[in-house]
Amino acid sequence: MKHPLDLHRDRRTWHGWKQERGLRRRRSSARFGRNELAGTLLAGIVGGLAWTMLPAATSAPAPAAPLAAAATSFGFCHRGGGTNCVVDGDTFWMAGEKIRIADIDTPETHPARCPEEARLGAAATQRLQALLNSGTVTLHPIDRDTDRYGRKLRRVEVDGRGVGDTLVAEGLARPYRGRRTGWCDQS
């Protein structure tokens, strides 16, 4: 009679049993096992997540329709958020959204870098308030929705006339060329 711990063993010799195990191992390595299945599933999950997180460069959303508001009264709000108020010559709040006029650059008001910039910035801020209070304000989206400060970038019209064009024609703004430039004389 065999010892209970030896019941699982065959009558084969150790050498023959080892060879058969090697053959089985070679045969099983050619099949698709649990490790390969787990790797494939993991790769599929990671690929699916990466696909959903891709930027929308391949399919850009359609631009939003222009937003028109009834004639509204705009005040001043130099720093904090507000409703229907002018921050400076190219930034204002409207219906709880901070709007940056996309096609112009105006002098800084806080802080201004020189007395001339402060003077022009104050004039641009007052003129923007007067323009916004003169009729129906319409906001037109551009190719980018927001700037790096979270402000909505929009072309702004009042009664069909471009606010940016008016400020540029009056010498209170410059067309925006991709970066801000100083308003102080370099002499």
Side-chain angles (χ1 to χ4, degrees):
M1 180 161 183
K2 286 187 172 185
H3 188 275
L5 294 177
D6 290 334
L7 287 175
H8 70 282
R9 293 191 180 165
D10 266 272
R11 293 178 195 249
R12 295 184 201 111
T13 64
W14 174 251
H15 181 68
W17 188 67
K18 209 171 160 187
Q19 281 181 337
E20 185 179 336
R21 245 180 106 211
L23 289 174
R24 276 192 201 147
R25 194 173 286 140
R26 271 187 247 128
R27 259 194 322 246
S28 66
S29 68
R31 286 188 281 173
F32 198 75
R34 276 183 271 161
N35 291 339
E36 291 84 0
L37 179 62
T40 303
L41 287 174
L42 182 62
I45 291 169
V46 169
L49 287 173
W51 180 259
T52 60
M53 293 180 185
L54 281 175
T58 55
S59 60
L67 172 68
T72 307
S73 177
F74 286 85
F76 292 106
C77 55
H78 291 290
R79 292 221 182 260
T83 302
N84 303 333
C85 58
V86 176
V87 176
D88 60 21
D90 55 18
T91 307
F92 63 96
W93 286 84
M94 183 171 150
E97 299 252 356
K98 195 170 191 179
I99 309 295
R100 164 73 161 81
I101 302 175
D103 53 353
I104 62 170
D105 174 34
T106 60
E108 293 299 320
T109 56
H110 39 276
R113 293 175 193 94
C114 64
E116 179 64 10
E117 184 175 42
R119 185 188 69 74
L120 285 171
T125 303
Q126 290 175 356
R127 182 63 176 134
L128 177 60
Q129 183 208 25
L131 287 169
L132 294 175
N133 285 329
S134 68
T136 301
V137 178
T138 306
L139 305 177
H140 296 275
I142 63 165
D143 57 346
R144 281 181 36 214
D145 188 48
T146 59
D147 67 2
R148 63 181 174 170
Y149 303 110
R151 300 177 294 189
K152 298 285 185 184
L153 295 171
R154 300 291 184 262
R155 278 187 317 98
V156 180
E157 291 180 353
V158 174
D159 292 336
R161 291 179 314 216
V163 170
D165 295 337
T166 302
L167 291 171
V168 169
E170 294 175 2
L172 299 172
R174 296 180 186 144
Y176 186 70
R177 303 277 187 231
R179 65 182 181 89
R180 301 180 75 86
T181 56
W183 289 82
C184 299
D185 285 337
Q186 304 294 333
S187 50

